[in-house]
Amino acid sequence: AVCSMGNSTSRLYSVLAKTLSSGAVSQHQDCLEQLDSAHLDPIDPKDLLEECQIVLQKRPPRFQRNFVNLKKNTASNHRPIRVMQWNILAQALGEGKDNFVQCPMEALKWEERKCLILEEILAYKPDILCLQEVDHYFDTFEPLLSRLGYQCTFFPKPWSPCLDVEHNNGPDGCAIFFLKERFELINSANIRLTAMKLKTNQVAIAQTLKCHETGRLFCIAVTHLKARTGWERFRSAQGCDLLQNLKNITQGAKIPLIVCGDFNAEPTEEVYREFSNSSLNLNSAYKLLSPDGQSEPPYTTWKIRPSGECRHTLDYIWYSQHALNVNSALGLLTEEQIGPNRLPSFNYPSDHLSLVCDFSFNQDPDRLL
């Protein structure tokens, strides 16, 4: 059933309505054929935001978060590139497997949670959006974001845990969306990560883009590594495989790189050290919010499961520190904002916080290290 849209008669009604009800895996191809973005008119993000707010009118307003200015006294001759990283929580997992014991099932209804996710994306207006746990790509994110001007790519997990949930919407996976008015796709690679020479269930997407404004090339990658305690060596092996792929794609760091992901790893883990010490000369953008610029945030996910409270730093935006500057980063939600029942909630749609950074190219493109 499609939920009420109130009294709105906006031309977007039919667009949102089509994405509100969950579809079976067999419907995906039908959905793609029906909603081929090439045959749909562009939509104004303000109109879509208004539609979402009508759906969400009985929910509390979204949290306010502020950007922290990190820009040094280096002038930039181009508009910054805004990158958003977010594990949005697969709908099938939220409802069927993740056991958020303090989160009412009512708060997880896709009809409304979808609009909370869209509201967050529309609020920050990323030039590039990197998502994990996407299980409503074909019926929601691709048809809507393509009409907002994004080019969309999705790579599902081979054996998604979503498929074990009754009434699922297909497999979850990683997705990249970039604004076509700002970038041209030069190359795209779907990577199935290996560990100990074995193919695994975790994936990555790496795309080389050309910035229209500067003519500069850069690579954007998204990944979601293996979860759970006890799999640290496995994550380390996956990280090594991803780094090797990215070295090849960036020609050994000649092309600047941004890697977004839910690494399912605290900064104390080996895979974190591998990225920190890689020959790709990567730094973690959110470290720059700390007083010394060396410490990760205290948490990027905070939830309560039957086993207890889980408060961890697992999500990162890595970048080539020789070629890119971080102009600003979006501050995290405070403990007071998150509230005693933690995430997800009626206020916030995922158990992970979104990370958003504004990047600019270093003005000396030949200075690699």
Side-chain angles (χ1 to χ4, degrees), residues 109-322:
K109 282 172 51 179
W110 180 243
E111 291 85 351
E112 295 178 5
R113 198 173 77 84
K114 174 188 76 77
C115 290
L116 272 181
I117 294 170
L118 289 168
E119 187 182 43
E120 181 92 345
I121 294 167
L122 291 163
Y124 299 122
K125 304 173 185 169
D127 299 304
I128 302 171
L129 173 63
C130 294
L131 301 180
Q132 300 87 39
E133 290 199 23
V134 179
D135 64 345
H136 275 270
Y137 175 82
F138 294 107
D139 63 4
T140 299
F141 295 104
E142 194 276 342
L144 286 176
L145 291 176
S146 63
R147 294 183 67 186
L148 292 170
Y150 289 92
Q151 185 158 325
C152 315
T153 305
F154 175 63
F155 191 28
K157 293 175 184 171
W159 312 298
S160 167
C162 293
L163 299 177
D164 296 333
V165 178
E166 194 177 3
H167 308 305
N168 67 75
N169 199 60
D172 75 301
C174 293
I176 289 182
F177 308 84
F178 67 84
L179 285 178
K180 291 185 286 187
E181 70 173 17
R182 294 211 64 186
F183 312 108
E184 176 190 350
L185 179 63
I186 303 300
N187 181 59
S188 185
N190 288 351
I191 303 164
R192 185 171 168 189
L193 299 175
T194 63
M196 297 91 169
K197 299 185 179 179
L198 298 173
K199 289 187 181 296
T200 73
N201 193 35
Q202 280 64 47
V203 301
I205 306 169
Q207 296 191 325
T208 303
L209 304 181
K210 182 177 182 179
C211 175
H212 291 315
E213 191 177 342
T214 64
R216 300 279 296 270
L217 295 180
F218 68 100
C219 177
I220 180 76
V222 60
T223 195
H224 188 186
L225 301 187
K226 173 68 181 169
R228 307 211 189 291
T229 305
W231 292 84
E232 291 81 4
R233 286 186 62 207
F234 196 85
R235 280 191 286 274
S236 173
Q238 288 183 326
C240 286
D241 182 49
L242 179 57
L243 284 168
Q244 187 56 54
N245 275 279
L246 294 174
K247 284 174 190 174
N248 295 336
I249 290 168
T250 62
Q251 302 166 26
K254 287 183 181 176
I255 298 172
L257 173 65
I258 299 170
V259 186
C260 295
D262 174 357
F263 278 61
N264 275 308
E266 291 273 12
T268 52
E269 271 199 37
E270 182 64 30
V271 67
Y272 182 93
R273 291 193 290 275
E274 285 161 358
F275 270 73
S276 295
N277 300 326
S278 162
S279 62
L280 293 173
N281 196 25
L282 300 173
N283 193 21
S284 174
Y286 264 70
K287 280 167 51 176
L288 302 179
L289 287 181
S290 66
D292 61 358
Q294 299 299 315
S295 306
E296 292 289 352
Y299 51 83
T300 61
T301 179
W302 202 341
K303 52 210 161 202
I304 301 174
R305 285 181 165 146
S307 56
E309 197 154 342
C310 306
R311 178 180 179 266
H312 299 292
T313 300
L314 306 177
D315 306 272
Y316 307 95
I317 299 178
W318 298 92
Y319 70 101
S320 300
Q321 56 188 335
H322 60 278

Side-chain angles (χ1 to χ4, degrees), residues 98-110:
D98 276 341
N99 295 315
F100 301 120
V101 292
Q102 296 295 103
C103 178
M105 285 302 290
E106 188 75 7
L108 294 171
K109 282 172 51 179
W110 180 243

Side-chain angles (χ1 to χ4, degrees), residues 14-40 135-144 146 169:
S14 61
V15 179
L16 260 181
K18 281 178 184 174
T19 72
L20 287 176
S21 56
S22 176
V25 183
S26 60
Q27 293 175 312
H28 287 171
Q29 194 56 44
D30 294 342
C31 183
L32 274 176
E33 289 166 3
Q34 292 166 17
L35 297 175
D36 181 356
S37 57
H39 300 102
L40 294 173
D135 64 345
H136 275 270
Y137 175 82
F138 294 107
D139 63 4
T140 299
F141 295 104
E142 194 276 342
L144 286 176
S146 63
N169 199 60

Side-chain angles (χ1 to χ4, degrees), residues 60 63 102-104 299 301-304 309-311 332-348 350-351 353:
F63 295 122
Q102 296 295 103
C103 178
Y299 51 83
T301 179
W302 202 341
K303 52 210 161 202
I304 301 174
E309 197 154 342
C310 306
R311 178 180 179 266
L332 299 175
L333 291 177
T334 64
E335 180 176 357
E336 183 182 25
Q337 285 176 312
I338 289 172
N341 294 331
R342 309 314 183 199
L343 304 173
S345 66
F346 282 109
N347 301 72
Y348 200 78
S350 177
D351 54 327
L353 299 177

